[in-house]
Every structure is written in structure tokens, then in C-alpha cells.
């Protein structure tokens, strides 16, 4: 069930009143919301509801056991068991064929014929997201940071439909305490919720889909047939497309959760205004980057064991982050590029004047432009389906000038300008808009939203393309 | 309703402002740097009025109701385009009167205005006319020409003068147009890539792959109009088509008056679908284009594969009726695994084990598209002379 569809609208119009009506009785509300979330999830493939339920029970049982076990080594063993189960399931569904085909191809090079067989495995939607949330639950229990809750509440935490298939990756400490007491039905931040839903829909349906169909898909599919200018604009357009697509999804998810009375963490904060790669990761997919920091980077040793170990840890963390996005070597290279850039920046900072004043004016813009272009370069590997294709894109950037560029239209340039320009919109502007909207009478609010829906419907292409991050 | 400031949201974790390498358990290292930016809190800025959950519901319902009226023509078209069944019947029963009310209250005007502004006027209209040519189809092969008349060069004694393949060269390129449903997109781009290095080939227009379309539902997208329009505009000499992936249903629009098609795969269904396939090929032949039709592959779903077999059998029959004017590419066999069944991975031409089918079990991955592109280029080389210009210095 995709957010921008009539099916979801009907689903939500049923769930919203029932959720608030049952809210005063948590023992009724929790089973209700779990069932609603399972219905939402089963719209893709009902069989995977059992996987989600199994993941819930597995992690709950082990988290409780870990919490109750005083013996450190036994707790560690239980943690490894939980992680093995979670990562085993993720590995099977997401990486089995990737592993087998990569191994087979390497073996073929040295003349070996391995007895592996490939399976036709359907990837459950959102498995990477709910697996990571489950891992944070058991690891937090192991660290003593968070006491495991009841199965009922954990099931809500893991399956709550607004975040279920593409995040944000919510931490136990952020959502489970909100489940302890009923939300106050008299104090709902509706203006922020509606603002996020309307802008999220516009970003996804209009900006992302338009750029994908107008230039990105065509150029990335056959870079050799396009001019350097088209390739350059397509790379910029993909940067805007993936931002509009993914941040649009999380905006809608956060808005829907707000209407149900729950607060999710922010996931994007103008990432293309970043002044360094480190800054980019503070602003891009923030819930994933902090997950990687807390559950990969710090356990690896963080920056506690000297410079070389820190660089290694940064690289390993980002390689894992790359592989999390998909079972392909291009994602690994994307992660590696970011890891190398983070390590390089750190190396540079250690050797430059730490007390240097914060950049302003041209140095600030130079840093922003350089960071944006580095991120765009890495996106080429992220988007391309092979190294050959990525290399064709990069080569084409330099060797195909002078050809006609029919795909670089005013519409594409306008969408790019809106996508990049919005990153520099002062934070006050949306807040003023939300505040003004909140003071409108009911009918005026509904009319504004209906007009926004109409604009999105008319300006967007026909049909609804899946969200990019569903595949991760 | 009382106005009040936003509730104090849970404070963002301290970690929020730390970066990857700054973060570490407390006491394990030097304290983290001071955050460079003040974290943005949701309750900054002018105060927002908080409303009740009931208000949220009322606004949602009203916004959807007004939105339905403003978008009624588009919603009615979407309802019309749905697959046949009770859901479509219900949707049409609701959206038909809704469109009527919207029109009567002039609430459809803002939508029309915006559509006109962005050059999409008329996109809510429903066209089901196939416009299949009543004239007799082309019957002569498009890939062969008669030998030059006597006098230009003396025929070899004792040998019958066979027709030559139509020749193309860098000066007179074979113009290829690629169109179809979503199954043509990946192979289409693979053909564009494969044709790129050949000086005698030129792909024209962009790969015209339209998701969820086909020949059975001109109301969803009228390919019959589109094909005639593009054939006139782009003047291709070869057209690569892929249709059928969405046509495996017992429902068609644009039927002749009084016609019925019965169940999917019935004699009447095959006859009507064959009329459409043949009509498309004839329209393109009449515009001077040879047609290469990419057949449907087997899919992960055995039932769907059986339905695709039916569609393929109709297409094969129509292409065989038109030798020298149409050819069929058999992807069913080309993508079969070792056991003859569906395979997601295959050893490709490079000897590598590659993923050739997409995760949905139906579409192609890039390596799969490359396989089809090779088959298409082989077919073009079989039907046309694309290389003799190399022997002629002034070609």
C-alpha cells in the first residue's frame, strides 16, 4: 500500500478515527494498531506478515532474556544469537543471491565450478528498516540503555505502519515511551502534519517522478547516447530525485504519525546545503547515520584507538552502510567513497587549524559546492546498475560535449532549481506558513489541502512509481 | 479552541549533534566538540495553534471531499482505466455522478486551467477508438528489393536473380523506434546502447515505454493513435515493440459495436487480440516500417506464464502471416533456466552469472535487456543489409 494512493487514503480514513477512539484503552489500541499495520504490510505480500511477526517474537524473547540475565558472557551469547537471527534473515532475503553470484563469478575466473544453487527469493518490503529497529532494541537491552517492554508494545514499535517500510529508523527510546500513555486527543499538531504530508506528496509525485521520467532514467540507461550536458544535468537531477523521493516519503510518514498523535525523529535537514561530507551525514537520512554510528562505528572502536583505527572504522561503517542499501558492488563503492571522504576530511582537520573561524561568504559557498559535487559523484555509483555503466557516465561527462541536449528542458531546470533552492529556504518560512495555516478556519484548511492535492495530481505523471527506498 | 504553544517534544538526544567520529561512550575519550549548528527543534518559530484529533479527521474528510470534486474528471478517468471487476464498477458508479456534479458546479475548471497552463489539456478525456486501417495491408516484404533491372549489370548466367536485402549505411541509416509497455523499457535502452556503435543504425525518439498499458485498453493509453502519430513523425524503418504484459485479461475496451470477447484466451478473445496485433503491424508496415515484436518471457508466476503463452501464440501467428514485414523474438526460450523454467540468473554472453530478471519476477534487469538487444540486432542483420557499405568506399 503506497502512501500516495486512493487505497491508502481509504485505509487511513478508517484507521485515524478508530485509533483515536480506542486510544483511551491502550489494551485495545495496541492490538488494533498492530492489526492495522499488518493489514498495511500484507498489501504487498501477506506471507511476509509472518516474517514480521516472527521477527517481533524472536527479538522480544531474546531482549527480555538478555535484560534478565546477570551473567555477562551469557548475555553476550544471547545477544549474538539475536543478531545472528536478525542478520541471518536479512542476509538470506537480501544478500543470498548476491553472495552466490559473486562467489560463482570469482570461482569461474580461477576455473572452479562451485555447487551453489541460486534461489528465486522475493525481498520483503522494508526488511532492512525493521531489522535495524529490532537490532537497536536488543542491543539497547544488552547495554542496559533500555528496559525491554511488553510484547504488545514492542509489536507496535516494530510494525507501526507510518515507519514500517521505509523509516525513519526510530529508536526504542523515542517511540516506546510514547506508547506508555494515551496521546492527548486535544493537542494534535495538525498544521505541521498537513504541511509535511502535502509537501511530501508534492516532492515525491511531482519533483521526483518528473525528474526520473524526463531525464534521469533515460540518461542512466544509455549514457553513451547523450551529451555531456545531459549527463551532468541528469546527475544533478538524480541527486534531487532521490532527495525528493526519500524525504518526501519520510515527511508523509512523520505527518501521518503526528495525526495519530506520535512524534518521529527528523530524517532530513537540507542535505545539499552541507559544507562537508561529515555535515552531509548530519543532514541526510539522519536516523540511519546515527544508527550506524551507535551500532556499528562505536562498537568497532569509534575514534578511541588512534587515527588509523578511526579511519578504518569510518571506512568499515560506511561500507556496511553502502551494502545496507542493496546487494550490489556499486553500493559498496558508494559507501567506500563516503568512508574515504569522511576519513580524508578528518585527516585534513587534524592537520589544519582547529580554531579556524567558521567559513562565511565565498569559502562557505565553495565548501557547499564541493560537497554537493562529491555527493553527486558518489550518487553515480549508487544509481548505476554496474561499474561499466557508472564509468560510462563519468567518461561521458567529459567526452560528449557539443552534442544536442534535447532532454535539458526548462521544466527539468525548473524542477532542479526548486529541489536545490528549497535546501536554502530559511527555516522560518515553513514555520510561518504552518502557523498561519493553523489559524485558518476548518473549511479554509481543507480547501488549501484540496488545492494542493489538485496541483500534485495535475503536475505529476500518471501512475504512482514506487519509492526508491522501498527496495532497500 | 484554545490557542497554545506546541507541547515540549522529547529533547533530541545529545548524540544528535555529534558526528560519526565524534561519538563514543561517555568517559571513554575527550568530550565531544561543541556542536557547530544549533539543532533545529520542532517547536521553534511562531506558535502554532493545536487542534483536536476530531478536527484532524474533519479536515481530512473535507479536504478529500473537495479534492474529489476538484479532480473529478481525472478520478473518473482513473476509475474507467481500472481492471474490470467489482472495484471498477463501484468506482465508476461513484465517480460518474461526481464528475457530473463537479462539472455542474464548475469545480472542474481550476484543474482544466492548470492543465492548460502546463500543456496537458485534454488529458482527462477517454479515447477508445482504435482506428485500425480498413485498407488492405501491405503484402510485399519490406526487407527485400528486386534486383536492379538488366543493363545496369548483367545477371550471372544460370542463376536466378534473387531479391536483395534492403541496404542501410552511415549515409542512409536504419531508423529504429522502440515502444511498448513497461517490459520494453530495459531492453529498449539496451537496444539503444547496442545500436550506438553501429554507423548504419540510428534509434529515433526516446524509448517509449509506458507502464501498465497495452493493446486491450486504449482507454488507459491509446497506443493505436500513438503508433500512427510516431510513425508519421519519426519515419522509422524498423519498429521494436513489446506488448502483452498487461493484456492477459478478459476485458478489452474499444471493441466494435456488438462484439464480445468472452473469456481470456477464448476463440473470440484471440480473434480480437489478433486483429489488434495485426492492425498495429499493418499500420507500421503501411508507414514503411518493419516490425520486430519482443515476445513475453516466462515469469516467476506459473499462472501468469500460462496466460503469457496465450498472448504469445496470437502474436506469433500474426507475425508469421507477415514474412518480410514482421518478426518475433522468442524471449520465452532465451530466458529459460537449465531446467527450462523461470530463471532469475543466467550465464550471459560474457560467461558471468548475472541477474537477468528483476525482483518482481516479470521485468528484465540490464543484463537481460542486453540479451534481448543482441537478439534484436541479430534479427535486423538477418533482415537488412547493414554491412555491405563497408565494402563501398563512398557509402
Amino acid at each position: 500500500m503506497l502512501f500516495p494512493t486512493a487505497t491508502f487514503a481509504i485505509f487511513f480514513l478508517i484507521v485515524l478515527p478508530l485509533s483515536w477512539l480506542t486510544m483511551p484503552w491502550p489494551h485495545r489500541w495496541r492490538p488494533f494498531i498492530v492489526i492495522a499495520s499488518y493489514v498495511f504490510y500484507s498489501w504487498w505480500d501477506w506471507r511476509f506478515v509472518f516474517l514480521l511477526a516472527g521477527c517481533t517474537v524472536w527479538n522480544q524473547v531474546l531482549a527480555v532474556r538478555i535484560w534478565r540475565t546477570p551473567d555477562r558472557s551469557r548475555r553476550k551469547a544471547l545477544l549474538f544469537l539475536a543478531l545472528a537471527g536478525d542478520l541471518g534473515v536479512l542476509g538470506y532475503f537480501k544478500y543470498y543471491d548476491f553472495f552466490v553470484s559473486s562467489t560463482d563469478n570469482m570461482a569461474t575466473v580461477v576455473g572452479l565450478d562451485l555447487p551453489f544453487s541460486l534461489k528465486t527469493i522475493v525481498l520483503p518490503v522494508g526488511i532492512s528498516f525493521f531489522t535495524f529497529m529490532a537490532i537497536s532494541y536488543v542491543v539497547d537491552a544488552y547495554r542496559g540503555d533500555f528496559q525491554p517492554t511488553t510484547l504488545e508494545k514492542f509489536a507496535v514499535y516494530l510494525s507501526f505502519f507510518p515507519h514500517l517500510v521505509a523509516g525513519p529508523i526510530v529508536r526504542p527510546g523515542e517511540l516506546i515511551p510514547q506508547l506508555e500513555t494515551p496521546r492527548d486527543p486535544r493537542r494534535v499538531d495538525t498544521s505541521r502534519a498537513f504541511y509535511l504530508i502535502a509537501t511530501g506528496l508534492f516532492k515525491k509525485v511531482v519533483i521526483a517522478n518528473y525528474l526520473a521520467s524526463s531525464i534521469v532514467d533515460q540518461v542512466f540507461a544509455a549514457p553513451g547516447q547523450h551529451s555531456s550536458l545531459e549527463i551532468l544535468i541528469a546527475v544533478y537531477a538524480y541527486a534531487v530525485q532521490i532527495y525528493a523521493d526519500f524525504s518526501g516519503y519520510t515527511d508523509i510518514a512523520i505527518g501521518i504519525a503526528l495525526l495519530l498523535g506520535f512524534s518521529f525523529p527528523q530524517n532530513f535537514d537540507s542535505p545539499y546545503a552541507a559544507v562537508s561530507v561529515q555535515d552531509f551525514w548530519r543532514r541526510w537520512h539522519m536516523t540511519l547515520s546515527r544508527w550506524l554510528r551507535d551500532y556499528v562505528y562505536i562498537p568497532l572502536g569509534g575514534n578511541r584507538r588512534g587515527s588509523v583505527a578511526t579511519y578504518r572504522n569510518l571506512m568499515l561503517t560506511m561500507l556496511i552502510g553502502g551494502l545496507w542499501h542493496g546487494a550490489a558492488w556499486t553500493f559498496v563503492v558508494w559507501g567506500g567513497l563516503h568512508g574515504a571522504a569522511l576519513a580524508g576530511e578528518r585527516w585534513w582537520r587534524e592537520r589544519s587549524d582547529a580554531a579556524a573561524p567558521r567559513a562565511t561568504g565565498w569559502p562557505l559557498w565553495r565548501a557547499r559546492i564541493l560537497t554537493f559535487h562529491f555527493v553527486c559523484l558518489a550518487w553515480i555509483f549508487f544509481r548505476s546498475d554496474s561499474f561499466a555503466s557508472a564509468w560510462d557516465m563519468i567518461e561521458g561527462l567529459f567526452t560528449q560535449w557539443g552534442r544536442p541536449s534535447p532532454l535539458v528542458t526548462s521544466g527539468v531546470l525548473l524542477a532542479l532549481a526548486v529541489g536545490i533552492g528549497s535546501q536554502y529556504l530559511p527555516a522560518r518560512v515553513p514555520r510561518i506558513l504552518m502557523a498561519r495555516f493553523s489559524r485558518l478556519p476548518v473549511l479554509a484548511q481543507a480547501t488549501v489541502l484540496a488545492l494542493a492535492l489538485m496541483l500534485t495530481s495535475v503536475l505529476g505523471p500518471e501512475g504512482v512509481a514506487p519509492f526508491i527506498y522501498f527496495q532497500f | 479552541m484554545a490557542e497554545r504553544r506546541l507541547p515540549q517534544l522529547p529533547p533530541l538526544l545529545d548524540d544528535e549533534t555529534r558526528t560519526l567520529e565524534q561519538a563514543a561512550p561517555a568517559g571513554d575519550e575527550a568530550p565531544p566538540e561543541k556542536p557547530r549548528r544549533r539543532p533545529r527543534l520542532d517547536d521553534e518559530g511562531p506558535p502554532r495553534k493545536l487542534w483536536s484529533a476530531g478536527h484532524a479527521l474533519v479536515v481530512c474528510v473535507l479536504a478529500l471531499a473537495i479534492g474529489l470534486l476538484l479532480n473529478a474528471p481525472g478520478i473518473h478517468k482513473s476509475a474507467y482505466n481500472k481492471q474490470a471487476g467489482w472495484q471498477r464498477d463501484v468506482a465508476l458508479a461513484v465517480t460518474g455522478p461526481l464528475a457530473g456534479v463537479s462539472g455542474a458546479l464548475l469545480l472542474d475548471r481550476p484543474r482544466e486551467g492548470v492543465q492548460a497552463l502546463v500543456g496537458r489539456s485534454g488529458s482527462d478525456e477517454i479515447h477508445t477508438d482504435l482506428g485500425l486501417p480498413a485498407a488492405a495491408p501491405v503484402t510485399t516484404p519490406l526487407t527485400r528489393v528486386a534486383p536492379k533491372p538488366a543493363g545496369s549489370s548483367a545477371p550471372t548466367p544460370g542463376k536466378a536473380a534473387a531479391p536483395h536485402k534492403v541496404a542501410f549505411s552511415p549515409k542512409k541509416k536504419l531508423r529504429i523506434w522502440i515502444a511498448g509497455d513497461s517490459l520494453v523499457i530495459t531492453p529498449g535502452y539496451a537496444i539503444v546502447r547496442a545500436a550506438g556503435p553501429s554507423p548504419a543504425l540510428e534509434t529515433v525518439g526516446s524509448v517509449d515505454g509506458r507502464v501498465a498499458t497495452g493493446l486491450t485498453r486504449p482507454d488507459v493509453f491509446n497506443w493505436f493513435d500513438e503508433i500512427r502519430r510516431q510513425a508519421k513523425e519519426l519515419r522509422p524503418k524498423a519498429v521494436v515493440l513489446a506488448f502483452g504484459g498487461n493484456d492477459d485479461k478478459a476485458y478489452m475496451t474499444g471493441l466494435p459495436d456488438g462484439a464480445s470477447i468472452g473469456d481470456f484466451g477464448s476463440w473470440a478473445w484471440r480473434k480480437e487480440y489478433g486483429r489488434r496485433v495485426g492492425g498495429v503491424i499493418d499500420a507500421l508496415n503501411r508507414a514503411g516500417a518493419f516490425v520486430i515484436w519482443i515476445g513475453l518471457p516466462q515469469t516467476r508466476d506459473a499462472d501468469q506464464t500460462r496466460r503469457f503463452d496465450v498472448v504469445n501464440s496470437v502474436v506469433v501467428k500474426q507475425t508469421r502471416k507477415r514474412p518480410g514485414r514482421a518478426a518475433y523474438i522468442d524471449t520465452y526460450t532465451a530466458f529459460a533456466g537449465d531446467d527450462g523454467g523461470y530463471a532469475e540468473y543466467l550465464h550471459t554472453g560474457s560467461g558471468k552469472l548475472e541477474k537477468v530478471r528483476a525482483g518482481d519476477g516479470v521485468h528484465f534487469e540490464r543484463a537481460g535487456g542486453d540479451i534481448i538487444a543482441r537478439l534484436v540486432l541479430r534479427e535486423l542483420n538477418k533482415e537488412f543489409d547493414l554491412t555491405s557499405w563497408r565494402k563501398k568506399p563512398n557509402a
Side-chain angles (χ1 to χ4, degrees):
Chain A
M1 205 183 292
L2 294 169
F3 285 161
T5 57
T7 312
F8 180 76
I10 295 167
F11 168 83
F12 189 62
L13 281 183
I14 297 167
V15 170
L16 181 63
L18 289 178
S19 172
W20 281 110
L21 285 173
T22 52
M23 186 70 82
W25 301 278
H27 289 293
R28 291 184 198 166
W29 180 81
R30 287 179 208 131
F32 163 74
I33 210 72
V34 169
I35 291 168
S37 299
Y38 280 22
V39 168
F40 173 84
Y41 193 60
S42 69
W43 225 258
W44 279 280
D45 192 328
W46 60 270
R47 293 170 301 175
F48 293 131
V49 167
F50 297 104
L51 180 73
L52 180 59
C55 180
T56 306
V57 173
W58 172 260
N59 286 285
Q60 174 65 13
V61 168
L62 286 166
V64 170
R65 291 288 299 275
I66 288 168
W67 184 261
R68 287 179 184 164
T69 304
D71 179 49
R72 187 178 165 81
S73 59
R74 190 168 158 71
R75 285 171 58 221
K76 197 173 237 179
L78 287 167
L79 175 70
F80 277 121
L81 184 64
L83 294 180
D86 289 334
L87 296 175
V89 169
L90 184 64
Y92 174 76
F93 281 103
K94 195 163 176 177
Y95 302 106
Y96 177 84
D97 279 350
F98 169 67
F99 169 76
V100 169
S101 60
S102 298
T103 310
D104 185 274
N105 286 331
M106 279 189 277
T108 306
V109 172
V110 293
L112 287 174
D113 187 15
L114 296 177
F116 288 130
S117 66
L118 288 159
K119 299 174 191 293
T120 300
I121 299 168
V122 180
L123 182 67
V125 173
I127 187 170
S128 308
F129 289 92
F130 68 72
T131 303
F132 270 29
M133 284 180 58
I135 288 174
S136 61
Y137 183 69
V138 285
V139 173
D140 284 4
Y142 171 79
R143 288 174 176 167
D145 291 344
F146 191 83
Q147 181 174 359
T149 184
T150 61
L151 177 63
E152 207 178 51
K153 286 181 205 158
F154 178 60
V156 176
Y157 162 74
L158 206 60
S159 67
F160 193 34
F161 70 88
H163 70 61
L164 179 56
V165 292
I169 301 170
V170 187
R171 300 276 278 271
E174 288 166 334
L175 184 54
I176 293 174
Q178 297 183 60
L179 306 176
E180 301 290 346
T181 51
R183 307 283 88 198
D184 186 350
R186 296 163 304 173
R187 303 171 73 222
V188 182
D189 191 2
T190 54
S191 52
R192 181 164 179 253
F194 288 134
Y195 175 84
L196 288 170
I197 293 169
T199 52
L201 277 174
F202 189 84
K203 281 198 271 188
K204 163 61 188 166
V205 177
V206 180
I207 304 281
N209 288 2
Y210 176 74
L211 287 173
S213 58
S214 300
I215 188 164
V216 175
D217 292 349
Q218 296 177 62
V219 172
F220 273 90
Q225 309 309 309
H226 295 279
S227 70
S228 295
L229 180 64
E230 283 178 330
I231 293 173
L232 182 68
I233 298 296
V235 175
Y236 292 156
Y238 182 65
V240 173
Q241 184 205 338
I242 191 167
Y243 166 73
D245 190 289
F246 190 26
S247 74
Y249 180 89
T250 41
D251 284 353
I252 300 170
I254 293 169
I256 285 168
L258 272 175
L259 288 180
L260 292 165
F262 294 90
S263 162
F264 282 176
Q266 191 179 358
N267 215 16
F268 291 88
D269 182 14
S270 305
Y272 296 139
V275 293
S276 63
V277 177
Q278 185 194 74
D279 189 25
F280 174 78
W281 281 103
R282 280 196 201 111
R283 297 160 173 265
W284 177 270
H285 203 173
M286 292 148 78
T287 56
L288 173 69
S289 56
R290 66 179 189 175
W291 192 98
L292 290 170
R293 179 195 64 200
D294 292 346
Y295 299 105
V296 181
Y297 178 70
I298 290 174
L300 282 171
N303 58 351
R304 285 165 286 163
R305 290 170 194 160
S307 292
V308 175
T310 303
Y311 302 148
R312 181 203 63 198
N313 294 341
L314 280 170
M315 184 58 96
L316 279 174
T317 303
M318 296 313 293
L319 286 173
I320 290 168
L323 201 57
W324 175 86
H325 282 86
W329 290 109
T330 46
F331 289 119
V332 178
V333 168
W334 172 79
L337 282 172
H338 276 277
L342 284 171
E345 280 183 359
R346 187 183 172 87
W347 179 86
W348 177 256
R349 243 189 350 267
E350 284 172 352
R351 277 149 191 81
S352 60
D353 181 8
R358 197 174 165 189
T360 52
W362 166 239
L364 173 72
W365 281 98
R366 185 181 57 203
R368 282 177 170 162
I369 291 167
L370 280 174
T371 305
F372 176 68
H373 282 83
F374 169 78
V375 170
C376 284
L377 174 73
W379 282 141
I380 293 177
F381 288 91
F382 191 93
R383 173 62 177 79
S384 298
D385 42 23
S386 67
F387 288 126
S389 174
W391 180 245
D392 286 348
M393 287 288 292
I394 294 167
E395 191 185 19
L397 274 171
F398 300 100
T399 58
Q400 287 154 213
W401 289 99
R403 291 191 192 179
S405 305
L407 297 183
V408 183
T409 60
S410 52
V412 166
L413 295 177
L414 179 66
L416 273 183
V418 170
I420 296 174
S422 68
Q423 315 274 310
Y424 295 96
L425 198 67
R428 273 186 68 78
V429 175
R431 289 180 193 137
I432 291 169
L433 289 175
M434 285 187 263
R436 288 194 178 159
F437 180 88
S438 72
R439 282 174 175 71
L440 294 175
V442 173
L443 191 62
Q445 288 192 358
T447 307
V448 168
L449 290 175
L451 285 169
L453 270 181
M454 188 203 69
L455 270 182
T456 304
S457 161
V458 174
L459 297 178
E462 283 184 26
V464 183
F467 289 91
I468 294 176
Y469 263 68
F470 276 23
Q471 62 190 296
F472 306 142
Chain B
M1 197 148 300
E3 183 182 322
R4 55 184 87 194
R5 283 185 63 83
L6 270 173
Q8 191 65 44
L9 296 172
L12 294 173
L13 301 175
D14 289 338
D15 288 346
E16 198 69 42
T17 54
R18 286 192 285 165
T19 60
L20 274 178
E21 67 267 40
Q22 287 166 345
D28 206 8
E29 58 173 14
E33 291 171 24
K34 227 178 164 180
R36 288 180 61 195
R37 292 185 307 115
R38 199 156 56 95
R40 287 184 186 180
L41 296 177
D42 290 335
D43 56 354
E44 281 182 348
R48 292 192 289 275
K49 191 173 176 178
L50 298 178
W51 294 85
S52 67
H55 167 90
L57 184 63
V58 170
V59 173
C60 281
V61 171
L62 274 177
L64 283 174
I66 299 169
L68 283 174
L69 285 167
L70 289 174
N71 293 296
I75 294 168
H76 182 57
K77 187 183 178 186
S78 301
Y80 196 91
N81 290 348
K82 285 177 87 72
Q83 292 297 339
W86 68 268
Q87 287 174 319
R88 181 173 187 265
D89 297 340
V90 170
L92 283 174
V94 172
T95 58
L98 192 74
V101 172
S102 171
L105 297 174
L106 304 181
L107 287 172
D108 54 356
R109 295 296 168 86
R111 183 179 167 93
E112 282 175 18
V114 179
Q115 282 177 329
L117 209 63
V118 296
R120 291 188 180 179
S121 292
S123 57
D124 291 337
E125 289 165 16
I126 300 167
H127 298 286
T128 56
D129 182 23
L130 307 188
L132 291 179
V138 176
T139 51
T140 51
L142 297 164
T143 54
R144 299 287 187 275
V145 285
K148 289 177 183 172
S152 60
S153 64
T156 313
K159 274 191 180 176
H164 301 296
K165 288 180 180 178
V166 175
F168 291 92
S169 67
K171 283 184 180 171
K172 184 195 163 198
K173 294 186 180 199
L174 173 58
R175 295 165 63 82
I176 307 165
W177 179 53
I178 302 153
D181 57 26
S182 58
L183 276 167
V184 88
I185 296 174
T186 303
Y189 286 121
I191 294 165
V192 172
R193 287 194 300 274
S198 170
L201 298 178
E202 179 185 17
T203 51
V204 292
S206 54
V207 174
D208 199 354
R210 293 175 192 258
V211 177
T213 62
L215 300 183
T216 54
R217 299 293 304 270
D219 51 319
V220 176
F221 183 75
N222 197 322
W223 272 109
F224 304 91
D225 280 351
E226 173 76 358
I227 283 169
R228 275 192 297 272
R229 195 173 64 78
Q230 295 288 4
K232 197 173 168 186
E233 197 172 299
L234 299 172
R235 291 173 290 105
K237 287 294 170 192
V239 175
V240 181
L241 296 177
F243 287 114
N246 305 302
D247 291 339
D248 56 337
K249 318 279 186 313
Y251 184 74
M252 292 191 202
T253 53
L255 290 170
D257 288 342
S260 76
I261 51 161
D263 294 333
F264 171 74
S266 65
W267 178 83
W269 189 96
R270 286 170 189 260
K271 189 181 172 206
E272 176 58 20
Y273 196 67
R275 186 176 81 91
R276 294 177 186 219
V277 171
V280 164
I281 297 174
D282 290 342
L284 287 166
N285 288 166
R286 201 168 279 113
F290 178 79
V291 174
I292 293 182
W293 200 293
I294 300 172
L296 295 169
Q298 31 186 333
T299 71
R300 191 191 290 143
D301 177 354
D303 289 339
Q304 189 180 37
T305 300
R306 275 191 286 278
R307 294 196 301 275
F308 280 10
D309 282 346
V310 173
V311 176
N312 281 342
S313 68
V314 175
V315 176
V316 168
K317 192 173 167 186
Q318 293 298 324
T319 50
R320 281 193 185 147
K321 276 185 187 173
R322 294 165 175 83
R325 290 177 284 137
Y328 176 80
I329 301 285
D330 176 13
T331 60
Y332 189 100
T333 316
F335 284 87
D338 293 339
D339 60 353
Y342 173 80
E344 198 163 306
Y345 286 76
L346 287 176
H347 281 102
T348 55
S350 59
K352 279 172 69 180
L353 186 63
E354 291 191 86
K355 191 166 193 250
V356 292
R357 302 298 293 275
D360 62 9
V362 180
H363 292 86
F364 301 104
E365 287 286 351
R366 186 185 173 102
D370 290 339
I371 292 173
I372 295 175
R374 278 196 292 275
L375 295 173
V376 168
L377 258 59
R378 187 192 296 167
E379 194 64 37
L380 287 173
N381 273 294
K382 196 173 100 187
E383 297 290 348
F384 296 103
D385 173 4
L386 302 173
T387 54
S388 65
W389 61 272
R390 292 178 195 277
K391 297 163 197 160
K392 299 171 189 168
N394 294 324

